[in-house]
Amino acid sequence: MTGQPADILTIDGLSKSFSISGGLFSRPLELHALTDISFSVRQGETLGIVGESGCGKSTLGRCILQLLAPDEGRVLWLGEDITRLPAEAMRRRRRDLQIIFQDPLASLNPRLTVGEIVADPLRTLMPELNEAERRRRVLAMMEAVGLLPEMINRYPHEFSGGQAQRIGIARALITEPKLIVCDEPVSALDVSIQAQILNLLADLKDKFGLTLIFISHNLSVVRHVSDRILVLYLGRIVELADGDALYGDPKHPYTQALLTAVPIPDPKRARARSIDALVGEIPSPIFPPSGCAFRTRCRYAVALCAEQRPPLETVEGGRLVACHRWREIEREAAAG
Ligand code: SF4
């Protein structure tokens, strides 16, 4: 016994591509959104998933919840493969697995009242509840997320972005799920509201014993809420580590570059770090670079990086890193 919480979710070799039009006289092109993704999520933890826009974060969240069908690989929920379950069987599991979307107002049906929006998952996933019980649960959940009971008959357009996200959170929590995928839940909100919503999510996680997958392009936000952090680049895992280890000692050059965008108070460290700043655009996932996908932006790249894809290695503390040269880079940095 290690005392470590059990895995609640396991992703095993998951890949997802999209076929997109290559033009009138060309064959369709293949967009490689995710390739060979494997990791586990522990009961009660918050796993952050970070990377730039277009790295596959949201596709991964949707494949986990079976809102998108992966091409290859499995999603094991509480040990059961849910990847290709028939629709009715998946509907029963859906009570446990919910999502909070990025744009709260866009994700709420403008023709429904708050009460109807929050009650909607109960109608489809817990049809055994009667009207009175549904209303009781909706009011209790509204209170839990900081909405007043008299708001129950109002419509989404009457709310601010922060309040609308509270409605989205209430809708996600109403079926008492075990795991919630939070897909950029604060990136559409004013900075002043972001902290309120992050604190609310942390409180609700404790109160309801939730496990969270927190997707964001913003490492500062992810750091605030995550126990462990998975870094994605062009649809592949490049690093996975405990939050403190990843922020204090990033191993992969891409993680190091992403961290240069995170404000730190020490100006000396900030100056030293700026040398790793991320340059250039993320390459097209239709034509990914050979070998290491990060090589076109990596200042440590050598010939080997174009020839061979670096394997995802398990290093100390169960950390995962995919880079041919991370040890060498670390030695060079230590030598000054
Ligand atoms: Fe950079 Fe090479 Fe490591 Fe890729 S494998 S991150 S290109 S050093």
Side-chain angles (χ1 to χ4, degrees):
M1 282 286 283
T2 61
Q4 193 157 280
D7 291 342
I8 194 171
L9 176 80
T10 300
I11 311 303
D12 177 25
L14 193 139
S15 295
K16 177 73 184 171
S17 293
F18 298 98
S19 206
I20 57 170
S21 167
L24 199 54
F25 303 108
S26 306
R27 279 185 314 190
L29 299 168
E30 194 89 341
L31 186 156
H32 305 278
L34 296 170
T35 308
D36 199 15
I37 301 285
S38 297
F39 65 94
S40 293
V41 182
R42 299 170 191 151
Q43 165 92 50
E45 79 169 334
T46 298
L47 177 77
I49 299 182
V50 292
E52 292 162 284
S53 173
C55 72
K57 308 181 295 292
S58 292
T59 302
L60 178 55
R62 280 162 176 71
C63 284
I64 289 170
L65 297 180
Q66 302 302 299
L67 300 172
L68 276 174
D71 302 329
E72 285 173 40
R74 302 182 304 160
V75 176
L76 302 174
W77 170 244
L78 298 170
E80 179 193 24
D81 184 356
I82 60 166
T83 321
R84 286 159 196 97
L85 280 182
E88 175 54 26
M90 190 58 220
R91 195 181 67 82
R92 288 197 296 274
R93 308 310 184 277
R94 217 165 270 302
R95 199 178 140 177
D96 282 347
L97 302 162
Q98 291 288 326
I99 185 165
I100 297 168
F101 294 100
Q102 175 177 1
D103 186 345
L105 279 170
S107 72
L108 303 176
N109 186 335
R111 288 183 295 276
L112 299 183
T113 64
V114 171
E116 289 166 332
I117 289 168
V118 177
D120 194 47
L122 291 180
R123 286 183 210 282
T124 50
L125 302 177
M126 299 171 74
E128 68 279 9
L129 300 180
N130 62 30
E131 184 61 38
E133 178 60 13
R134 264 202 303 273
R135 185 177 168 83
R136 190 194 66 73
R137 288 188 184 215
V138 167
L139 285 167
M141 190 52 70
M142 286 177 63
E143 187 186 350
V145 302
L147 294 170
L148 300 170
E150 54 267 32
M151 293 173 171
I152 196 165
N153 292 321
R154 294 206 201 146
Y155 289 87
H157 72 268
E158 299 175 58
F159 292 88
S160 66
Q163 283 176 319
Q165 194 54 295
R166 288 175 194 266
I167 301 169
I169 293 169
R171 179 181 57 184
L173 280 170
I174 193 74
T175 58
E176 298 174 6
K178 296 185 174 74
L179 180 135
I180 298 187
V181 172
C182 307
D183 188 2
E184 300 265 14
V186 298
S187 59
L189 303 177
D190 288 348
V191 174
S192 57
I193 306 297
Q194 290 186 1
Q196 289 176 21
I197 297 296
L198 292 175
N199 290 337
L200 173 67
L201 283 171
D203 291 347
L204 293 170
K205 176 177 181 276
D206 289 345
K207 181 171 179 178
F208 294 106
L210 297 167
T211 303
L212 299 181
I213 293 178
F214 195 99
I215 295 171
S216 178
H217 67 281
N218 185 333
L219 264 169
S220 308
V221 168
V222 170
R223 178 180 201 171
H224 189 72
V225 295
S226 304
D227 300 302
R228 290 188 304 150
I229 295 168
L230 182 156
V231 184
L232 274 184
Y233 187 75
L234 224 56
R236 291 179 183 273
I237 298 175
V238 297
E239 188 157 8
L240 170 62
D242 286 347
D244 289 345
L246 189 114
Y247 281 90
D249 181 22
K251 305 282 190 207
H252 195 283
Y254 180 56
T255 314
Q256 292 169 3
L258 280 180
L259 278 169
T260 60
V262 176
I264 53 171
D266 179 349
K268 253 202 203 149
R269 270 184 66 208
R271 262 198 305 282
R273 236 176 39 168
S274 66
I275 197 164
D276 291 320
L278 199 53
V279 290
E281 296 292 313
I282 190 165
S284 164
I286 300 170
F287 305 108
S290 63
C292 173
F294 187 56
R295 71 178 170 79
T296 54
R297 302 166 84 190
C298 180
R299 71 189 187 93
Y300 303 105
V302 293
L304 174 68
C305 305
E307 288 157 15
Q308 287 176 26
R309 179 175 306 129
L312 191 60
E313 249 185 280
T314 304
V315 300
E316 80 269 13
R319 177 180 198 142
L320 301 177
V321 186
C323 171
H324 290 304
R325 302 194 63 214
W326 73 267
R327 286 187 182 83
E328 216 176 318
I329 295 166
E330 201 162 78
R331 272 198 302 274
E332 282 169 16

